[in-house]
Amino acid sequence: MRNFRTEGIIIKRRNYGEADRILTVLTRDYGKISIKATGVRRITSRRSAHIELLNCTILHLYRKSIFNTLTEAKMMEDFSQIKQDFHKVGLAYHICELIDGLCPENQENSTVYFLLKKTLEQLSKSTEVIPMQEYPVSDISDYMIGTFGMGVSDASQKVLTVPSRSQLLQDFEVNLLSQLGYWNKNEALAKIFDTHAMIESIIERKLKSHAIFAKLQ
């Protein structure tokens, strides 16, 4: 069938052409897929609000050879409590980068989808006090602004206070590696290990969010 429907979470986006966007979406039924959203950067677009980053959305798609094309979208959850908290946004960005780097395209894995959804729900509701550390603004501002549209309020500010590793993030990394077959969950929980180093060795590149989480130990 060329027309199909699925539930998905927007984990990445980039501008394409004059008014389009390419979305990377982790879906419940089809795994990670790429979607072309035509015309959503126009002010008159009614779909743009439904496909913001982190949104959990019902997507109506038309299957094409290169990109699946978005025909309709209805947002179910926008995780606004995450988007209103800079510290939670940093954790969410890291989580999305892990999903994008570790999950292959077009391979269904509903377990990972529900892991991501549950983790975002927990992060949204979390009142955990996350230890803070300071990093140079230049280390993180470029991709924070480009990815989430968040900037630094004071341009003269020399450092930015950002969250250290939370237990929620540690649990997510261990569970993700386990679900994808890279690590035995029981062994991982039994001892401390460097999940960042392991993930970077798998994807063979440095994590962009490493600037935030590199000094957590």
Side-chain angles (χ1 to χ4, degrees), residues 11-12 24-26 32 34 94-105 176 203 205:
I11 62 170
K12 187 178 177 181
T24 302
V25 184
L26 184 70
K32 187 181 76 173
S34 296
H94 180 70
I95 287 168
C96 288
E97 187 181 10
L98 298 186
I99 291 286
D100 188 35
L102 291 172
C103 293
E105 290 228 12
L176 181 62
I203 64 177
R205 63 173 175 82

Side-chain angles (χ1 to χ4, degrees), residues 22-35:
I22 303 299
L23 310 175
T24 302
V25 184
L26 184 70
T27 68
R28 180 187 61 194
D29 306 301
Y30 303 97
K32 187 181 76 173
I33 63 174
S34 296
I35 297 172

